[in-house]
Amino acid sequence: MYKLFVMLNIALFGPPGAGKGTQSEFLISKYNLFYISTGDLLRKEIAGKTRLGMEAQSSIASGGLVSDEIIVQIIEKTITDNPDSNGFLFDGFPRTYIQAYILEGLMLKLNTSLNCLISLTVPEEESVTRLLNRGKTSGRSDDNETVIRNRLKEYNEKTLPVLQFYRDKGIFEEVNGIDSIENVNLSITEIIQRELSKSLFNIVLFGYPGSGRGSQGKALAKEFGLEYVATGAMLGEEIASHSETGRKITELYENGQLVPDEIVVQLIEKKLADSKGVKGFIFKGFPRTLVQSYILDGLLKKYGSSISKIIEIEVPTLELISRLDERSKTTHCMPYDNSTAKIVKRLQEHETKTVPVIEKYNQLHGVIKINGQGTFGEVFMRISAAMESGVKNLR
Ligand code: AP5
Ligand code: MG
């Protein structure tokens, strides 16, 4: 099982006394993040007199860094024990180049990644002053001048070079740490809000033909400010625009052939690339096959995104047939359901090709089943409620 809604993973970076711990307190409650401070975890191990604690004790007492081997053990357990959190806030990790790689691996394991590393800059003398001050009440063995100086030396030699790793990745952010606690708060919040607005909210909407997925999808897209992606309609638009692809599609239709995935993929990819600044997408009528489900995963991944929620509208078969039959007698009649034989064929297609996709998704992420009976408004309310739960915490 991996996360369906987007995680927010942030690392706070900076020299001892920069205010990482102070800022973390407000960030974890505001964004509902799981807090991981390697310093706190180590101090807990020491207090519990565990094997790891005993090994770490002397390094901490002298102001040196604890070995990467010890760090990986305490952090791996904490992360893998909490895969369902909204995201992680790392304080004081990664502190070495090796730890930056460790973090990459751990995030990959949860099928997520670090959004950004925020570095609090503070001059050395300010660090020393603050920590000596904190030492009056903190009871921390390392809050004394000799050790503080040594921690700063370790920071400059081993930790500062880590920044290059994040500069290269393009997820490095800097904040002036000598401003007031409130102003530093504001600068960090600004960065995080920007991050949040980057992450897309993507819905896949399933349902048998006649379940209302099309009309609901369009209305939901409007309500939530998402882009509606319906591959059937996109093929139609290509034909209407007389584009090169449109001509190819017409040819296939005329020969009674299926439109190959290559064409559909190109159209969706174009849609994703052209949709700058959108909050996310609602996919309807795609993926229809297992192959297409892998394609969608790959496409979203390419854009640094993933599926946020999968929803299936359920309607009993007899009602589907009666709804499609009703529609075929009106001006809304679709060319693909103007006869009983065609309607049955479409229902069967869904059954054999798309139901396995829904089952696969259900095993991987869980599919939210919505009762599709009742008025349009009733069904709309049910789906809206399902879409809102789970994202609220982050936005
Ligand atoms: P750790 O506990 O992680 O120390 P740290 O978090 O780096 O440093 P501090 O806690 O001293 O500073 P902070 O930035 O959190 O500042 P704070 O908010 O408290 O590490 C301890 C030891 O564990 C290390 O030396 C190492 O041995 C080991 N270790 C830990 N992680 C490791 C890892 N990944 N790899 C290897 N070894 C590891 O603020 C400080 C003071 O300033 C407070 O009194 C606060 O009130 C005040 N203050 C905060 N902000 C402001 C502001 N804006 N204006 C004025 N005062 C402020
Ligand atoms: Mg701290």
Side-chain angles (χ1 to χ4, degrees), residues 17 19-22 35 37 39-40 43 91-92 95 134 140 151:
K20 303 181 293 290
T22 308
Y35 179 54
S37 153
D40 285 356
R43 281 184 286 275
D91 166 356
R95 253 180 165 90
R134 184 179 71 181
R140 270 177 62 164
R151 292 175 65 200

Side-chain angles (χ1 to χ4, degrees), residues 4 55 82 86 100 146 157 235 294-295 350 383 387 395:
L4 269 187
E55 278 177 51
N82 295 284
N86 256 344
T146 323
E157 285 172 9
L235 294 172
Y294 286 107
I295 292 173
H350 183 89
I383 307 179
M387 281 175 59
R395 278 154 218 253

